[in-house]
Amino acid sequence: MIEIVKHRKIGDLSYVSHKDTVDVLQRTLKRAKIDVNYSQGFVKHMVTYNTTPIPLGVQSICEYFIVDCNGVNAQEFLERFNNAVPDGLKANWSIEKKKNPNLAANVVASDYLIKCKNVVPSIIEEILDEDEYFIELLKKGEKIIKNVRPMLYSIYAEGKDLWIRSATGNDNLRIDSFVKHISNVYNIETTTNDIMRVNQLVKKGNKLISVEEYLNNEADSNN
């Protein structure tokens, strides 16, 4: 069976690379004595999956760790996982599925909350009125100018909070680069560590639904 937990990545652990985070999570399975299935072939490895990684320093309360394992139900998996994992990666939700839901491919958007030191000017919302919005990005060490407007779904200022919904996955808006850019343009006082991913979303028809809703109602039938 496939066991899935929704876990956080906060505090100091937000500065740990995606690869090293996966290593920590897989060592957690060993400490929790979970019977994990291994791949076939010359170099065997644990059959586990993750969603699209977040940039270093960005925090999250909605990361998903998918494990192909045996002999444990969702609630027991959650309890054993939390008893063995570092505090900054603890989980608060779990579900069991028959098949791998392939969240890395199916998640198309993320919601972010950015806590700022000063009030965010509401004029920032006018970005959505533009057909194009270009920012400077680093790609393989080289600076490029890219139109990120198609990857920006919503942006909303509420006091010192800034809410952003943007593309995730193949068409991915690098949230730390975008926030750095708008911070300079709109004089917003914030850092990468003030960014928190709070929701991941899957497209269903013409609407976006949360990963939890997708897993509760759709995932087995779609795979």
Side-chain angles (χ1 to χ4, degrees):
M1 294 296 291
I2 301 294
E3 301 292 346
I4 305 164
V5 290
K6 175 186 176 184
H7 69 90
R8 61 195 186 190
K9 187 180 181 187
I10 62 172
D12 291 342
L13 284 168
S14 66
Y15 295 100
V16 176
S17 72
H18 176 68
K19 180 181 182 300
D20 288 340
T21 300
V22 172
D23 289 342
V24 172
L25 293 172
Q26 290 185 340
R27 289 199 299 272
T28 294
L29 298 176
K30 292 180 180 179
R31 287 194 297 271
K33 293 181 169 46
I34 302 292
D35 180 18
V36 182
N37 291 319
Y38 280 72
S39 64
Q40 302 301 309
F42 184 73
V43 181
K44 292 180 172 56
H45 60 269
M46 283 185 177
V47 182
T48 65
Y49 309 91
N50 300 78
T51 43
T52 302
I54 50 178
L56 284 180
V58 174
Q59 301 189 75
S60 176
I61 56 171
C62 61
E63 299 304 289
Y64 295 89
F65 187 44
I66 302 102
V67 182
D68 189 335
C69 60
N70 309 292
V72 60
N73 61 38
Q75 185 58 38
E76 184 181 359
F77 185 96
L78 177 63
E79 292 173 359
R80 288 165 67 174
F81 178 88
N82 277 339
N83 286 336
V85 79
D87 185 67
L89 295 174
K90 285 193 183 298
N92 65 0
W93 183 85
S94 63
I95 194 170
E96 183 176 291
K97 305 301 290 183
K98 295 177 182 177
K99 303 176 183 177
N100 172 24
N102 197 8
L103 295 181
N106 285 312
V107 169
V108 298
S110 294
D111 289 330
Y112 297 93
L113 167 61
I114 297 93
K115 291 286 187 179
C116 306
K117 310 296 189 299
N118 59 333
V119 173
V120 181
S122 59
I123 193 174
I124 197 171
E125 297 171 11
E126 295 181 2
I127 293 175
L128 296 177
D129 297 330
E130 304 292 333
D131 294 327
E132 299 178 323
Y133 193 82
F134 291 91
I135 69 171
E136 185 177 271
L137 297 169
L138 277 177
K139 186 174 183 180
K140 296 181 179 179
E142 295 186 7
K143 292 182 179 180
I144 63 169
I145 304 298
K146 185 171 183 176
N147 175 25
V148 299
R149 179 61 187 87
M151 296 179 284
L152 181 65
Y153 302 147
S154 65
I155 184 167
Y156 176 67
E158 186 178 44
K160 294 183 179 181
D161 293 340
L162 179 62
W163 296 87
I164 295 174
R165 174 171 289 183
S166 62
T168 299
N170 291 332
D171 295 320
N172 182 58
L173 176 57
R174 176 103 184 192
I175 190 65
D176 55 339
S177 297
F178 180 69
V179 169
K180 182 179 180 181
H181 171 85
I182 60 175
S183 295
N184 292 332
V185 172
Y186 295 94
N187 297 314
I188 302 169
E189 297 178 30
T190 191
T191 67
T192 298
N193 203 231
D194 294 319
I195 305 170
M196 177 79 76
R197 177 152 70 174
V198 297
N199 199 14
Q200 296 195 55
L201 302 143
V202 174
K203 190 170 185 179
K204 176 65 176 175
N206 293 322
K207 61 184 277 191
L208 294 172
I209 62 174
S210 70
V211 166
E212 284 95 320
E213 183 178 351
Y214 172 70
L215 292 175
N216 278 323
N217 302 310
E218 305 291 341
D220 279 338
S221 61
N222 286 350
N223 285 276

